[in-house]
Amino acid sequence: MDNTMLDNTLLLLLIQLIPLLYILSTGLYGADFFRGTSFAKTYKQPALIITIVTHVAFIGFLTAPEGYRLNYSSSMIMNMVALTLGVVYMFIEFSTKTDKTGFFVLSFATGAQVLASFILSTSPEGGRVFSGIGIGIHLFSAIFSLSAIAIAGLYSFLYILLFRQIKNNSFGFLFENLPSLEVLEELIKHAVAFGFLFLTITILAGVIGTTQSSKVINLFDPKLIALLIMWLLYGVILFIRRLFGWDTIHTAYLLIALFACITGLVVLMSIFSPTFHGMSF
Amino acid sequence: MNIISVGVNHKTAPIEIRERVSLSEVQAKDFLTNLIDDSIAQEAMVLSTCNRTELYVVPGMPEVNGNYLKDYLISYRNVRNEVRPEHFFNRFGGNTARHLFEVASAIDSLILGEGQILGQVKDAYRVAVETQSAGILLTRLCHTAFSVAKKVKTKTRIMEGAVSVSYAAVELAQKIFSNLSMKKILLVGAGETGELAAKHMFQKNARNIVITNRTLSKAEALAEELGTNQVLPFETYKEHLHEFDIIITAVSTKDYALKEPELQKSMQQRRLKPVIILDLGLPRNVDPEIGKLKNMFLKDIDDLKHIIDKNLEMRRAELPKVQQIIDEELAGFGQWINTLKVRPTIVDLQSKFLEIKEKELERFRYKVSEEELRRMERLSDRILKKILHHPIKMLKAPVDTADSIPSKVNLVRNIFDLEEQNQLKS
């Protein structure tokens, strides 16, 4: 990808349009959740579908010059995080028939997309495009891991809010509108299981990709260390659940902390150290 | 609109008075028959529930008014010493319609938005139909009231949320567990409160309900009624606590029926799977310390009242929407009443033109063939239809006030030279 991107009117238009679509979808989900607006209830799902389809088309246009291969850049990672969050949330909504958590998940997706579009419009230089199936799987599964971690963190946050409301007898707005604790717990469990699966794939694909490549990666790269810690903790959570039962409330606190750490780390590293595990090209 | 409503309800009279004037279905039928047979009413309906006894009457004689009907009901029930006219409310015309719409949509109920009243209004109408005391006006009034209630139910949240302790318990359980049919429920105490809670749980698809009670036969009877047929002896039920996701207690005890060590042990056996205990007993049946256990939700009656208060507040906030629906339907009903007043003129108009048509066709009956006559008849019908369309449309058109109806009617009658109308009812 090069500066010719900025010459492409359609791409420029989409860079501006996609965050607006995310904001619109999030706004509609928010209006339905907080105000019960019938207009928002009717149009929130079509808006999300349009957003996702447009975003997929945008990624297609963006990666077309490089043979539809993703590059390693902050904007691309943020773009993909927003897209996968949107897709995963839509899957959750269709499969669980629960449409009351969209505002919370999509808010994060919107944040990621706004950041992605901002980076892309201010610094259109793309990152390095990687060849090879191993590194492709590594990148994809890392993005899905991030989305699973985000969803686990967001649903954990909602779980704690509802749990506290019920415990404290404050049967207010969230009590009325959020799905049951059991549904939220199931969503967290699935997010953790998928998170662990994708983190494992990320690590395995990364190891295979590195052994096949002549390049040397920095083993002390914070992203790499964070990835391993995350994988370990997610594994421990699943292991504890199978052996000793599931103390959701404490697990939820841990998942929120992990989500906050990884988000902060990704954002900081994307801005201050946008290299692929310290690899020089 | 000549329709009167009088009655006693929870807003106008205490229960001692309400129970004096209430009418059973048999009594209501007899009462309505008397009203019609004595020509006191052209149409009549009685709505009698635990919170109200109300009459809706289209008078049959000029002297029949609200006071007359109050007196008639007091005499009929023979309660002149206890019940006075001041215990009654009295409405007339549009206010009667508004009152019935408010009653049917449950905003006039003791518990705002309660779900039973619409069925009771429908029953009252059925009784009126069976006694042939429901005419065109009451039928239209009742059907509009049913339509109002349906709109209120679907377009507002006035009937949403639990407003009784046992329903609040179910609502809370559903906020913790998504599907009650997958949960095992223990009911400790088969008294009235426990029974109500178990029935509400059953309505929400809970099927795995186990009942324990000091008197085992009572537990067995309730289990049979619910169709679950699962009971546990009161002496040994605590050994099974870990098996249950929801525990409802409603027993009379001096000491706590469930104590913290028992539940602590059961939670260990459950490997921290959440439990909700709904303590519906008074005095409380469950040690409050149990609420501090991990993944344990303990709620007593006071806690559940928070849900009820919140739901009532939410229902009250819906009142303006309900009033708007009632206002709209009331306007439509008023327009329909107005069309009743122009109906005789429309009938006269149509008769007059038909008469002209037939006279004119008669002149040609033997001058043309049958086929030609039929064609002429069809042509005349089409012309008449087109000529009458506008005057009829004008007569039926909405008016700002009922006062403008006579002038409109008179105009049409004069233009088309219709015979004088006997009376134009106001």
Side-chain angles (χ1 to χ4, degrees):
Chain A
M1 192 166 45
D2 53 34
N3 280 336
T4 54
M5 190 201 80
L6 286 180
D7 299 331
N8 190 328
T9 317
L10 179 65
L11 274 178
L12 273 176
L13 186 73
L14 286 174
I15 290 171
Q16 313 299 326
L17 178 67
I18 287 170
L20 292 177
L21 284 173
Y22 272 96
I23 291 168
L24 175 74
S25 301
T26 310
L28 287 172
Y29 274 89
D32 179 39
F33 185 81
F34 292 107
R35 319 250 346 220
T37 318
S38 59
F39 176 83
K41 193 175 181 61
T42 311
Y43 294 105
K44 62 181 185 179
Q45 207 177 58
L48 179 61
I49 292 168
I50 290 168
T51 304
I52 287 169
V53 170
T54 315
H55 201 165
V56 170
F58 171 67
I59 300 281
F61 287 132
L62 199 63
T63 55
E66 304 292 348
Y68 299 102
R69 285 176 300 164
L70 298 180
N71 64 57
Y72 181 78
S73 66
S74 310
S75 63
M76 183 56 81
I77 290 173
M78 290 296 176
N79 249 302
M80 289 304 292
V81 166
L83 181 63
T84 47
L85 274 175
V87 170
V88 169
Y89 171 72
M90 200 167 68
F91 173 74
I92 288 169
E93 186 172 316
F94 281 123
S95 57
T96 63
K97 311 280 178 213
T98 306
D99 62 354
K100 292 290 186 186
T101 56
F103 173 75
F104 302 95
V105 179
L106 293 178
S107 294
F108 190 74
T110 301
Q113 188 52 42
V114 168
L115 198 59
S117 287
F118 176 73
I119 295 169
L120 205 55
S121 54
T122 53
S123 158
E125 286 293 329
R128 171 73 192 262
V129 176
F130 291 93
S131 298
I133 193 157
I135 212 73
I137 292 171
H138 174 77
L139 270 177
F140 260 106
S141 52
I143 287 161
F144 272 100
S145 306
L146 266 179
S147 298
I149 291 163
I151 285 175
L154 289 166
Y155 281 127
S156 294
F157 175 68
L158 295 179
Y159 183 93
I160 290 169
L161 279 181
L162 185 58
F163 185 93
R164 291 274 159 242
Q165 288 220 331
I166 294 174
K167 273 279 184 191
N168 299 331
N169 294 331
S170 57
F171 303 111
F173 182 77
L174 290 173
F175 174 81
E176 207 178 302
N177 287 289
L178 283 178
S180 70
L181 281 180
E182 197 174 40
V183 167
L184 289 172
E185 190 182 320
E186 280 305 308
L187 291 168
I188 296 169
K189 283 178 186 173
H190 282 101
V192 169
F194 277 109
F196 183 71
L197 175 73
F198 284 118
L199 284 168
T200 309
I201 296 170
T202 308
I203 292 167
L204 287 175
V207 169
I208 293 165
T210 311
T211 51
Q212 286 175 347
S213 159
S214 55
K215 306 285 182 196
V216 179
I217 64 160
N218 177 11
L219 289 174
F220 296 101
D221 175 27
K223 267 179 282 191
L224 200 62
I225 295 167
L227 176 76
L228 286 169
I229 293 171
M230 197 68 76
W231 177 77
L232 209 63
L233 285 172
Y234 266 53
V236 168
I237 289 169
L238 286 175
F239 178 73
I240 286 174
R241 179 191 151 200
R242 292 232 175 270
L243 277 190
F244 307 109
W246 179 268
D247 180 11
T248 312
I249 196 75
H250 290 104
T251 313
Y253 280 119
L254 177 65
L255 290 170
I256 292 171
L258 291 176
F259 167 53
C261 285
I262 203 75
T263 306
L265 186 71
V266 168
V267 171
L268 289 175
M269 291 295 290
S270 301
I271 295 166
F272 298 111
S273 174
T275 62
F276 186 75
H277 304 308
M279 197 187 276
S280 55
F281 301 109
Chain B
M1 188 194 326
N2 200 3
I3 182 163
I4 302 167
S5 63
V6 295
V8 291
N9 60 32
H10 61 96
K11 287 178 180 171
T12 65
I15 190 159
E16 308 85 69
I17 300 296
R18 298 203 301 270
E19 64 192 9
R20 291 278 176 184
V21 290
S22 81
L23 296 165
S24 66
E25 188 172 321
V26 176
Q27 288 170 327
K29 281 182 176 175
D30 179 61
F31 182 77
L32 290 173
T33 309
N34 288 352
L35 280 176
I36 301 293
D37 289 350
D38 296 345
S39 298
I40 293 165
Q42 289 176 28
E43 299 182 35
M45 181 176 85
V46 173
L47 173 64
S48 192
T49 71
C50 53
N51 282 322
R52 66 184 73 239
T53 297
E54 299 178 351
L55 310 182
Y56 295 82
V57 172
V58 179
M61 297 186 290
E63 63 267 34
V64 175
N65 57 20
N67 289 333
Y68 185 99
L69 291 169
K70 288 175 196 173
D71 204 50
Y72 191 85
L73 180 60
I74 290 170
S75 300
Y76 180 83
R77 295 294 289 131
N78 197 20
V79 288
R80 200 165 289 283
N81 294 334
E82 300 89 356
V83 183
R84 295 188 305 279
E86 296 82 65
H87 290 127
F88 284 73
F89 72 86
N90 183 9
R91 306 225 197 298
F92 183 77
N95 286 334
T96 296
R98 177 179 289 280
H99 177 70
L100 185 63
F101 296 169
E102 287 178 350
V103 170
S105 54
I107 63 166
D108 193 61
S109 298
L110 184 61
I111 297 167
L112 185 65
E114 56 98 1
Q116 284 184 318
I117 188 68
L118 179 60
Q120 289 163 334
V121 175
K122 284 182 174 172
D123 281 343
Y125 173 65
R126 177 184 50 80
V127 168
V129 170
E130 282 171 10
T131 51
Q132 295 182 327
S133 67
I136 183 168
L137 202 59
L138 268 181
T139 299
R140 182 75 177 212
L141 179 70
C142 287
H143 280 98
T144 312
F146 304 153
S147 160
V148 169
K150 194 178 170 189
K151 274 188 188 166
V152 166
K153 194 176 177 181
T154 52
K155 291 187 176 176
T156 74
R157 303 178 68 197
I158 198 84
M159 291 179 186
E160 283 183 18
V163 287
S164 71
V165 169
S166 48
Y167 254 128
V170 178
E171 194 174 301
L172 181 63
Q174 284 185 304
K175 216 62 207 179
I176 294 168
F177 301 119
S178 56
N179 189 353
L180 292 184
S181 68
M182 308 292 285
K183 300 297 160 195
K184 200 166 178 185
I185 299 164
L186 173 67
L187 174 65
V188 184
E192 199 180 329
T193 311
E195 182 182 339
L196 209 56
K199 282 180 177 169
H200 289 330
M201 288 280 178
F202 192 83
Q203 280 170 7
K204 295 289 176 187
N205 294 327
R207 293 291 177 267
N208 207 346
I209 305 173
V210 182
I211 302 164
T212 184
N213 194 58
R214 279 198 196 91
T215 316
L216 194 63
S217 59
K218 222 174 159 187
E220 284 168 342
L222 180 58
E224 199 180 334
E225 194 184 331
L226 288 173
T228 60
N229 293 317
Q230 295 184 77
V231 292
L232 271 177
F234 197 74
E235 297 73 28
T236 57
Y237 81 90
K238 288 183 184 174
E239 293 164 19
H240 302 272
L241 287 176
H242 63 280
E243 297 169 17
F244 298 99
D245 305 295
I246 301 169
I247 300 171
I248 304 167
T249 64
V251 284
S252 310
T253 51
K254 285 179 186 166
D255 194 13
Y256 293 130
L258 291 175
K259 298 191 181 82
E260 202 240 346
E262 296 155 356
L263 265 298
Q264 200 168 31
K265 189 183 157 200
S266 94
M267 284 307 277
Q268 280 167 358
Q269 287 174 295
R270 286 177 63 79
R271 294 170 65 198
L272 294 170
K273 271 165 69 185
V275 176
I276 173 166
I277 300 181
L278 301 163
D279 182 355
L280 308 183
L282 201 70
R284 286 181 295 176
N285 300 159
V286 184
D287 180 359
E289 287 299 308
I290 286 173
K292 292 178 184 167
L293 293 173
K294 264 186 198 173
N295 283 359
M296 170 68 73
F297 298 92
L298 169 62
K299 299 292 165 191
D300 59 29
I301 290 174
D302 274 3
D303 298 331
L304 295 172
K305 275 188 179 154
H306 283 99
I307 295 180
I308 295 169
D309 290 344
K310 184 259 309 175
N311 286 338
L312 281 173
E313 195 182 318
M314 181 266 291
R315 287 183 179 196
R316 275 192 290 272
E318 293 293 293
L319 279 173
K321 283 188 203 165
V322 177
Q323 286 295 356
Q324 196 186 339
I325 291 170
I326 289 175
D327 287 345
E328 284 165 10
E329 292 289 328
L330 205 56
F333 185 70
Q335 293 295 351
W336 177 79
I337 292 286
N338 290 339
T339 63
L340 282 184
K341 293 170 186 166
V342 298
R343 189 168 290 175
T345 304
I346 293 171
V347 171
D348 287 352
L349 195 61
Q350 285 169 327
S351 305
K352 170 125 188 171
F353 276 79
L354 274 176
E355 199 184 328
I356 294 168
K357 179 194 91 174
E358 272 160 22
K359 270 185 190 166
E360 291 303 313
L361 284 176
E362 197 57 36
R363 288 168 55 195
F364 290 92
R365 181 164 298 279
Y366 303 109
K367 293 178 185 170
V368 295
S369 70
E370 259 187 46
E371 177 62 27
E372 279 171 322
L373 191 70
R374 271 200 296 276
R375 267 192 224 153
M376 286 167 74
E377 195 170 355
R378 280 201 294 272
L379 178 71
S380 317
D381 284 341
R382 280 206 298 274
I383 292 169
L384 284 193
K385 204 176 166 187
K386 283 184 180 169
I387 290 172
L388 287 175
H389 174 73
H390 189 69
I392 290 174
K393 195 177 156 194
M394 190 270 278
L395 281 168
K396 283 183 172 175
V399 287
D400 294 335
T401 61
D403 298 341
S404 59
I405 294 170
S407 61
K408 226 165 52 164
V409 167
N410 288 336
L411 178 71
V412 171
R413 297 194 86 87
N414 286 332
I415 288 173
F416 294 103
D417 191 25
L418 303 177
E419 281 176 18
E420 275 301 304
Q421 205 176 358
N422 289 336
Q423 55 175 354
L424 197 59
K425 285 179 186 171
S426 57

